[in-house]
Amino acid sequence: FLVKFPNSTIRFSTEISTTSTRHASTRTPDSTISLIQVEISAKAVAFDGRLALWNAARDITARKIAEDELRLAASVYQNSNEGMMVTDAKNRIVSVNPAFTSLTGYEAEEAIGRTPSMLQSGKHAEEFYSAMWESLNRTGSWHGEIWNRHKSGELYAEYLSINVIHHEDGTVHRYVSLFSDITDQKRKEDLIWKQANFDSLTGLPNRRLFHERLSREIEKAERSGQPIALLFIDLDRFKEVNDTLGHAKGDVLLQEASRRIRQCVRQTDTVARLGGDEFTALLPESGESLGIQRIADKIIRELFRPFDLEDGDVGYISASVGITLYPQDAADPATLLSHADQAMYAAKTEGKNRFSYFTPSMQEEAKNKLDLTNQLRGALERGELEIHYQPIVELSTGAIHKAEALLRWRHPDRGLILPGAFIPLAEESGTIHEIGRWVLEQSAAASKRWRERYGLRIQVSVNRSPLQFEQFEPCKCEDITIEITEGLLLGKSEKVKAQLHALHENGMEISIDDFGTGFSSLSYLKQFEIDYLKIDRSFIQDLEEDESDQALTQAIILMAHKLNLRTIAEGVENPGQHDLLLHFGCDLAQGFLYSPAVPEREFESILRTGSAWHWRR
């Protein structure tokens, strides 16, 4: 267009031109107005006093956007917290950003020209990288977690994404890698996983992980046809150690026990702690029964050895082991474990410190045990429990001044059940505390009645297990003797010492039951307030024929008397045993020779005769 400048005269022949960028608006066919960027070129020509001006405009919006994007990309590349690495078609590094240096420790000049293999940690097999390249070649991208090595040598985890940039002809131009350090995240995930799957005390797999591995091994065995052995291991007498020495010492024992069990099995086997003092050993591909037995025997031997619990304390336990086999004994994990548990209880019933295989009869026995436990809960309220009394005879005179209270369960369908069959169930179910209080109250009341009726002071011995003793509150009663096992004194606990002192303060006496069968040091006899030692029946049954039993029994009696303790022999069944015990100086005895444990009414008949010895003869 032509522009005329009034009142001015321009005379030159040179063209004047300029170019600038401006924003402009444009109207589209649908009348929408949008903002664009344009490049304007202007040319002016002067002639005959007039100025002619030609303008041209070009839309450069797309170019400006592209330039902005390039500047933004460059800024992101330089300032991103993510490491970036660009490699050529031969996988040689051509560019890295500052975050790459921060994350890997390598400066740009140290990395350019090398391949990313300089970062490899050695933790991944060749198959890992083969799969990565297969994905890059097939799809043009790969992403996942990978472990690499920092320049310092330290390993770190990263999340890595790789994308391929191609030439127009489809050949590879560049590989662009973006990665971030996820080491802390992986450590937290590992910690959470370990807490969910491993026992915090022993470091062994816990119940959850054990079930997972058992299920996996059964699936493998189904395909391979190889059998599996499962060992269920329970620590005998652990509760005594835990209660007497304290939970800290119990923890030390559990840690050492887990270490010993692990040493008895193969690297490919799984040892787990299910909880408390229960462990399992999963033995895949265990076709040889003798090999399984050797492992079970080794575990039992190792756990029978004394445990050094520090500070001079020593723990003595044993182990009962139940063994089940897949697929002979069960086809699923839950049943296999249940059968192993039943086999373990069979080993306990047979005397502990041994192993037992599962048999179908154990399934019925386990059901009976569960039924019996449920029925025991209401036995006291239904009046089914009763106390029998066994006379304890003074050997020199035959007089009765003591008796042992022995619990019986008169079951409506099964008849009279002895304590060995139901006391363990009472301890497991927790009903032992209520039952124990009832026995103590009934025994004290019976002793009071006998004093009133016959003018006799009959002191009644009442058994208390470590489990009962834990919640035992002494009552004032001079006609009660509390019978405890050696294991209760094992730890020389100040708490136990205080409880025994409280018993004495309330007029009760203390008797050590089954003396000579425990593991503890005899030093406890002078540290605790003890009144009686009961010589275990295992020393008495062969007393007439076995000179060793004679020597041991006589030594126990002499030692006890030196410590001002009285002795009671258990399980006396014939006159020869009676005469030897009398000759050795034993103070008291009980057994079938004098009388079995009888109901209170029959016991009173014995009292009226004045002597159980004459009554039996």
Side-chain angles (χ1 to χ4, degrees):
F1 54 88
L2 177 64
V3 178
K4 180 180 180 182
F5 297 91
N7 304 318
S8 65
T9 301
I10 303 177
R11 293 186 181 277
F12 53 87
S13 60
T14 304
E15 293 183 349
I16 301 173
S17 64
T18 183
T19 300
S20 64
T21 302
R22 295 289 187 270
H23 286 93
S25 62
T26 182
R27 186 181 300 273
T28 61
D30 62 356
S31 297
T32 302
I33 297 176
S34 62
L35 192 66
I36 61 173
Q37 282 189 293
V38 295
E39 183 180 72
I40 299 174
S41 298
K43 181 182 290 186
V45 178
F47 64 94
D48 192 22
R50 295 175 177 269
L51 180 64
L53 182 64
W54 286 268
N55 286 340
R58 182 173 54 178
D59 187 347
I60 60 169
T61 305
R63 192 187 79 192
K64 298 300 290 184
I65 290 174
E67 290 173 355
D68 287 344
E69 288 177 348
L70 285 173
R71 281 193 295 272
L72 178 62
S75 176
V76 169
Y77 187 74
Q78 292 298 318
N79 298 292
S80 173
N81 289 327
E82 281 193 302
M84 297 184 186
M85 174 179 66
V86 181
T87 61
D88 62 16
K90 294 183 179 179
N91 205 30
R92 290 173 301 203
I93 301 172
V94 297
S95 177
V96 296
N97 72 340
F100 173 93
T101 299
S102 175
L103 294 172
T104 68
Y106 289 96
E107 298 290 342
E109 56 268 23
E110 295 176 292
I112 292 174
R114 301 175 67 178
T115 65
S117 62
M118 71 183 203
L119 302 172
Q120 286 185 5
S121 65
K123 290 192 68 170
H124 301 290
E126 187 60 37
E127 292 77 15
F128 175 86
Y129 296 103
S130 296
M132 176 191 292
W133 280 106
E134 191 276 332
S135 177
L136 287 171
N137 294 331
R138 181 171 52 85
T139 68
S141 66
W142 181 91
H143 60 87
E145 295 177 0
I146 186 172
W147 282 91
N148 275 334
R149 187 180 300 276
H150 192 272
K151 182 181 177 181
S152 66
E154 183 180 357
L155 299 186
Y156 65 94
E158 66 181 45
Y159 188 84
L160 171 64
S161 295
I162 307 175
N163 289 282
V164 184
I165 299 175
H166 295 92
H167 288 294
E168 289 184 2
D169 63 2
T171 58
V172 173
H173 176 51
R174 294 285 189 262
Y175 296 98
V176 179
S177 301
L178 284 79
F179 62 94
S180 56
D181 191 330
I182 57 170
T183 307
D184 287 342
Q185 175 187 331
K186 293 297 293 182
R187 285 173 180 162
K188 290 175 183 176
E189 289 174 357
D190 288 344
L191 178 60
I192 292 170
W193 186 82
K194 285 180 181 178
Q195 289 174 339
N197 292 279
F198 287 85
D199 175 52
S200 60
L201 177 65
T202 63
L204 295 176
N206 61 13
R207 182 182 292 270
R208 180 181 180 278
L209 183 57
F210 166 74
H211 278 283
E212 182 181 310
R213 290 189 180 178
L214 178 57
S215 298
R216 190 163 61 241
E217 291 298 338
I218 287 178
E219 290 175 0
K220 288 167 58 178
E222 287 177 352
R223 296 190 296 268
S224 67
Q226 291 287 340
I228 300 171
L230 175 61
L231 277 58
F232 195 110
I233 306 157
D234 186 85
L235 306 185
D236 307 320
R237 299 173 61 107
F238 170 74
K239 184 163 182 56
E240 293 183 21
V241 175
N242 210 36
D243 290 345
T244 55
L245 293 178
H247 294 293
K249 301 289 184 176
D251 287 348
V252 174
L253 191 150
L254 288 172
Q255 289 170 330
E256 173 62 14
S258 69
R259 187 189 67 80
R260 294 185 189 182
I261 296 171
R262 277 201 306 266
Q263 290 182 336
C264 295
V265 301
R266 303 165 298 184
Q267 288 282 342
T268 54
D269 299 330
T270 294
V271 175
R273 182 187 178 205
L274 299 189
D277 58 355
E278 293 180 340
F279 297 83
T280 54
L282 177 60
L283 316 177
E285 300 181 2
S286 298
E288 184 189 356
S289 60
L290 286 178
I292 299 169
Q293 292 180 26
R294 279 195 293 268
I295 291 174
D297 273 329
K298 188 176 181 182
I299 290 172
I300 290 168
R301 287 197 308 272
E302 285 298 311
L303 294 178
F304 189 74
R305 291 193 296 109
F307 286 77
D308 180 1
L309 304 181
E310 304 171 354
D311 304 320
D313 291 317
V314 181
Y316 297 90
I317 62 168
S318 59
S320 298
V321 180
I323 304 174
T324 51
L325 304 174
Y326 171 87
Q328 294 95 312
D329 296 330
D332 64 274
T335 307
L336 196 67
L337 183 61
S338 174
H339 288 177
D341 186 29
Q342 293 169 33
M344 180 275 293
Y345 272 105
K348 278 191 179 294
T349 303
E350 291 167 8
K352 304 178 181 178
N353 196 38
R354 65 193 65 208
F355 68 82
S356 173
Y357 279 94
F358 172 79
T359 61
S361 62
M362 291 180 186
Q363 182 67 27
E364 184 63 28
E365 183 180 337
K367 184 178 181 303
N368 290 336
K369 176 184 170 184
L370 180 61
D371 292 342
L372 208 59
T373 301
N374 292 334
Q375 294 164 12
L376 180 60
R377 295 183 188 279
L380 188 58
E381 290 78 6
R382 294 190 298 269
E384 295 171 5
L385 299 183
E386 56 188 58
I387 301 172
H388 288 196
Y389 299 92
Q390 185 173 37
I392 298 176
V393 175
E394 191 170 34
L395 284 171
S396 60
T397 64
I400 301 171
H401 299 296
K402 293 176 68 65
E404 182 175 0
L406 297 165
L407 190 61
R408 301 290 186 264
W409 181 9
R410 195 168 294 280
H411 194 279
D413 300 319
R414 306 188 187 199
L416 199 64
I417 302 178
L418 297 179
F422 68 87
I423 289 298
L425 305 182
E427 291 182 333
E428 291 175 22
S429 63
T431 57
I432 190 67
H433 301 294
E434 181 186 6
I435 293 173
R437 285 190 293 271
W438 179 79
V439 171
L440 185 63
E441 292 167 359
Q442 294 297 309
S443 299
S447 179
K448 183 179 179 182
R449 285 193 295 272
W450 298 331
R451 186 194 295 266
E452 293 171 350
R453 292 176 185 174
Y454 309 108
L456 297 173
R457 184 193 174 195
I458 305 297
Q459 194 178 51
V460 182
S461 294
V462 177
N463 290 280
R464 311 296 291 189
S465 71
L467 183 64
Q468 293 172 275
F469 204 82
E470 191 175 323
Q471 297 186 12
F472 185 46
E473 296 181 4
C475 58
K476 193 168 186 63
C477 185
E478 296 180 353
D479 294 328
I480 294 293
T481 297
I482 300 298
E483 289 195 7
I484 59 177
T485 60
E486 291 180 86
L488 187 64
L489 309 179
L490 182 65
K492 306 170 188 175
S493 164
E494 290 299 321
K495 178 181 177 182
V496 172
K497 186 181 291 187
Q499 286 178 310
L500 295 180
H501 179 73
L503 291 174
H504 270 277
E505 289 291 303
N506 283 278
M508 301 182 188
E509 292 187 314
I510 308 299
S511 177
I512 301 297
D513 197 14
D514 302 329
F515 182 79
T517 61
F519 299 101
S520 53
S521 167
L522 296 179
S523 63
Y524 70 77
L525 292 176
K526 64 180 183 180
Q527 296 183 31
F528 293 92
E529 299 180 72
I530 308 298
D531 302 287
Y532 298 93
L533 295 184
K534 295 191 77 172
I535 304 170
D536 187 69
R537 64 183 66 248
S538 62
F539 296 105
I540 306 302
Q541 60 187 6
D542 298 320
L543 190 61
E544 293 176 276
E545 300 83 16
D546 193 319
E547 293 184 358
S548 296
D549 283 344
Q550 292 177 17
L552 287 169
T553 301
Q554 192 170 15
I556 291 172
I557 294 168
L558 289 172
M559 176 192 65
H561 289 168
K562 289 288 186 181
L563 296 172
N564 295 318
L565 306 177
R566 303 188 74 194
T567 53
I568 305 172
E570 297 182 288
V572 180
E573 297 183 353
N574 60 64
Q577 294 167 344
H578 169 92
D579 293 340
L580 277 172
L581 289 167
L582 182 62
H583 175 68
F584 293 156
C586 186
D587 303 291
L588 303 155
Q590 65 186 97
F592 280 15
L593 175 65
Y594 315 110
S595 171
V598 295
E600 183 178 345
R601 184 170 296 180
E602 291 184 39
F603 183 77
E604 290 186 3
S605 297
I606 297 172
L607 290 180
R608 286 193 293 270
T609 68
S611 170
W613 173 245
H614 295 303
W615 178 74
R616 292 297 293 172
R617 283 185 170 177

